[in-house]
Amino acid sequence: MTHIAIQGAVDGKNIDWMEKVTEEQYNMKPSTKTNAQSDAFSSLLTLDDIRTVAPALARYTKETLADLWKRPGLSARDRSLVTIAALIARNQTTELPSQFNRALDNGVKVSEVSEVITHLAFYSGWANAMSAVAVAKGVFRPRGIGADQLPPASGPLLPIDKAAETHRATSVEQNIGSVAPGVVQYTSDPLFHDLWLRPALAPRDRSLVTVSALIASGQVAQITYHLNRAMDNGLTKLEASEMLTQLLFYAGWPNVFSAIPVAKEVFEKRTK
């Protein structure tokens, strides 16, 4: 048997020796606080950080955003769902650690955060979901969140609305079947026959994060169906209105203004 060891070196040195430590110090485990600060908060900017670049932005962050989160009409929990959905959809990971922590503090369950990431893999792309997984992993660890708090990979599903599903499937087949049969297949299963029926996230909340992600991504053509579905699933007009207001700051004015005519049409048709 032959053992081969390869060791790198820079300018003839392969290690920099620091101060001597005791055996006790060497065997010490890093503190939970240190891990939490390193894993969950390393990407965050403080108000002082923002002031060094954009003092007015720091003021808006401190004053205007604080006011936004206190508005009635949409609970803090739901505002967190809207916000993390927008950030995942736009792959904006700098804000995600603080918003994941905020969501958990606002009453969003660990299982729901996990399920939002899974859900948005289908609506914002696998790569965006993987970026969110990397951030969430760093947030979960210092909170002591383990596998026992996560939703199972598979299991019993919610009952399907057969009439609504038949209507959806027929429409998709008519519009897409001749162009991309594979899209029809995957839209039915796993999307609507599996993902949308997973019980870890209520249908109303799935709709809320879906519409939020569509608006944040500028996908106006898809909003009509999903906003109607959201309201069928229990989202009120006031909550939908406040969702749009929340997204002004996390998706930008242009995306929200593009979505407002669609939302207006949905609201008007539902009142007739």
Side-chain angles (χ1 to χ4, degrees):
M1 180 182 293
T2 301
H3 292 275
I4 301 175
I6 300 174
Q7 189 172 36
V10 178
D11 297 330
K13 294 173 60 179
N14 55 42
I15 192 169
D16 284 322
W17 293 100
M18 307 300 284
E19 71 273 10
K20 186 177 180 179
V21 298
T22 66
E23 190 72 16
E24 182 181 4
Q25 289 173 318
Y26 179 80
N27 290 320
M28 283 179 63
K29 294 181 179 179
S31 70
T32 302
K33 182 178 180 181
T34 300
N35 282 340
Q37 290 173 338
S38 174
D39 293 338
F41 300 104
S42 59
S43 65
L44 298 187
L45 296 172
T46 66
L47 279 175
D48 285 339
D49 291 332
I50 301 171
R51 287 190 190 98
T52 62
V53 175
L57 179 58
R59 177 171 64 84
Y60 290 132
T61 301
K62 181 180 179 180
E63 298 174 3
T64 310
L65 278 188
D67 177 71
L68 173 72
W69 282 84
K70 296 174 184 176
R71 286 178 58 86
L74 194 65
S75 69
R77 172 191 178 275
D78 288 346
R79 288 188 186 278
S80 281
L81 286 175
V82 170
T83 302
I84 62 175
L87 295 177
I88 293 171
R90 295 166 66 84
N91 201 18
Q92 294 175 326
T93 55
T94 299
E95 281 287 302
L96 263 181
S98 63
Q99 294 300 340
F100 275 148
N101 274 297
R102 186 173 198 163
L104 293 169
D105 292 340
N106 282 341
V108 179
K109 298 176 183 176
V110 172
S111 58
E112 292 171 331
V113 171
S114 172
E115 204 67 18
V116 167
I117 295 172
T118 302
H119 188 86
L120 291 181
F122 288 78
Y123 284 93
S124 299
W126 242 249
N128 285 13
M130 293 305 167
S131 295
V133 165
V135 175
K137 181 181 177 182
V139 171
F140 286 2
R141 187 185 299 115
R143 283 178 171 260
I145 294 169
D148 60 316
Q149 294 175 262
L150 302 178
S154 58
L157 300 175
L158 298 173
I160 196 167
D161 184 332
K162 292 184 179 180
E165 175 56 19
T166 298
H167 181 269
R168 182 210 61 78
T170 301
S171 177
V172 171
E173 177 63 40
Q174 291 174 346
N175 293 322
I176 300 175
S178 62
V179 178
V183 172
V184 176
Q185 175 190 341
Y186 288 119
T187 300
S188 290
D189 187 14
L191 185 62
F192 281 100
H193 291 177
D194 193 325
L195 179 74
W196 272 90
L197 303 178
R198 287 175 56 82
L201 195 64
R204 179 258 191 198
D205 294 339
R206 284 194 186 277
S207 286
L208 180 64
V209 298
T210 302
V211 177
S212 297
L214 293 175
I215 294 171
S217 305
Q219 301 295 331
V220 178
Q222 298 295 313
I223 295 173
T224 299
Y225 170 78
H226 281 287
L227 182 54
N228 271 301
R229 187 183 180 104
M231 299 182 80
D232 289 342
N233 285 336
L235 190 73
T236 68
K237 179 181 177 181
L238 176 58
E239 289 170 335
S241 171
E242 280 300 312
M243 171 194 66
L244 289 164
T245 305
Q246 184 79 5
L247 288 170
L248 281 173
F249 294 87
Y250 292 96
W253 260 248
N255 282 326
V256 172
F257 269 72
S258 295
I260 282 178
V262 181
K264 181 181 179 182
E265 183 177 7
V266 170
F267 294 162
E268 289 175 347
K269 286 185 176 180
R270 292 182 71 89
T271 56
K272 292 180 180 180

